[in-house]
Every structure is written in C-alpha cells, then in structure tokens.
Amino acid sequence: GIHVAKKVDKLGMRSSDTAQIFFEDVRVPCKNLIGEEGKGFTYQMLQFQEERLWGVATVLTPMETIIQETVDYTRQRKVFGQPVLHNQTVHFRLAELATEVELLRSLLHRAVALYVEGNDVTKFASMAKLKAGRLTREVTDSCLQFWGGMGFTNEVLVSRFYRDLRLMSIGAGTDETMLSIICKHMDTLPGK
C-alpha cells in the first residue's frame, strides 16, 4: 500500500523533508475515518484560512530580524569612509520596510480578531497572505542588496531568508490565487 517517493530537492526550506506519498489499495477502518468519506478535499479547503493566517504570523519575526540585522550590518560596514547606514536612501528604505511589516501585523491582528469572533475571514486572510508574500520578497531583496556581496553567501541569515521566505507567495495558494479570492469577495469579477 503506501509508497514514499524520494525526497524532493527544493530551492528553500531545505530542513523540511518533502516527498510524494502514494496510497494504493489502502483500506482505512471505519473507526479511523476522520469526518465523512469523500470530504477530505473540502476539509482541506476549509482550513486554508487558518493556514494562511499562521503563515503570515510566522514571517513577521523573520522580517523584523533581517531588517534589524541589516541595520546593524550597515551601521558597521563602511563605504567611502562612512557607514552605509548613513546614506539617507538606505536609512529611509529600512524605515519604510519596518513600517510595512507593522502594517501587515495590524492586518493580521484584525483578521485574527474577526476569526475568533466567528466571522468569515477569507478576504482578510487572503489579503494578509498576499501582502506577506510580496513583503517577504521585498524585505529580503532590499536587505540583501544592502549587504552587498556578503549577502550572496550562505554565511549570513539574509541569504537564507531570501531563499526560504519565497515560499510565502506560493504555498497555501499563490499570489494570483489570493487576488482571485479577494476579487470574488469584493464582487469585482466580470459578470457578477
């Protein structure tokens, strides 16, 4: 019955094993059945809002960490006799990124509060996930740039986050899927 294929060699999240699992002629006793037979996909779809909110929550600290590490690094790294952080463009960009992270945190808090009250948070969870996916790319790319060549090595955290956090825009529904869901909840699709 159960066959596990070889481990998938992924771009990021390399510490998490991923493989296909195949079930052939597997029988599940009725006492071990969870929910109704044939409803597995529906159950999976229902939990997506929680998964998306969890995903947003898990990227906030890494983004804050990489911004702070970039502040620290650019404060001590000197170019033309001045710390890189003294360049107004660098300083302002890091302040802007920190602001965006706080805005995402506020959206997450609102969505979670509505969820706890029993509301349908599909639109807000999708908005938060969309923003988180795009912001993780923006934060890691911007910060990596300020690290210069050192950021392109495996020795620093920014390169790992650049690689690993990219999954946020793909896992649990792509950015484009989030946009479709948001549109449906805004009644902006053609023909509605």
Side-chain angles (χ1 to χ4, degrees), residues 62-81:
M63 284 193 291
E64 289 175 329
T65 299
I66 205 58
I67 291 168
Q68 187 56 54
E69 284 198 6
T70 302
V71 167
D72 296 342
Y73 180 73
T74 57
R75 181 176 284 130
Q76 61 89 23
R77 180 177 174 226
K78 292 189 176 174
V79 175
F80 304 117

Side-chain angles (χ1 to χ4, degrees), residues 32-102:
N32 294 345
L33 190 64
I34 300 171
E36 291 180 51
E37 187 173 344
K39 297 280 188 177
F41 182 74
T42 301
Y43 297 144
Q44 176 65 31
M45 296 304 290
L46 291 173
Q47 69 81 38
F48 265 140
Q49 303 327 312
E50 293 171 1
E51 181 179 349
R52 290 169 180 153
L53 293 173
W54 172 85
V56 173
T58 63
V59 298
L60 291 171
T61 298
M63 284 193 291
E64 289 175 329
T65 299
I66 205 58
I67 291 168
Q68 187 56 54
E69 284 198 6
T70 302
V71 167
D72 296 342
Y73 180 73
T74 57
R75 181 176 284 130
Q76 61 89 23
R77 180 177 174 226
K78 292 189 176 174
V79 175
F80 304 117
Q82 293 275 38
V84 172
L85 189 62
H86 287 188
N87 180 318
Q88 191 176 58
T89 302
V90 174
H91 210 131
F92 281 7
R93 181 67 178 138
L94 292 169
E96 182 179 44
L97 292 172
T99 301
E100 292 292 323
V101 171
E102 271 312 306

Side-chain angles (χ1 to χ4, degrees), residues 133-145:
R134 291 180 172 182
L135 188 56
T136 55
R137 294 195 324 256
E138 187 178 0
V139 166
T140 57
D141 187 64
S142 293
C143 289
L144 184 96
Q145 188 72 24

Side-chain angles (χ1 to χ4, degrees), residues 52-53 56 104 107-108 111 123-133 168 182:
R52 290 169 180 153
L53 293 173
V56 173
L104 177 59
L107 177 56
L108 174 65
K123 180 171 93 173
F124 291 117
S126 300
M127 287 176 166
K129 183 182 174 312
L130 173 68
K131 181 63 177 176
M168 190 67 201
I182 295 164

Side-chain angles (χ1 to χ4, degrees), residues 16-32:
S16 170
D17 286 349
T18 303
Q20 287 183 307
I21 300 175
F22 298 95
F23 298 91
E24 294 177 27
D25 299 321
V26 173
R27 299 179 64 79
V28 178
C30 288
K31 68 178 183 170
N32 294 345

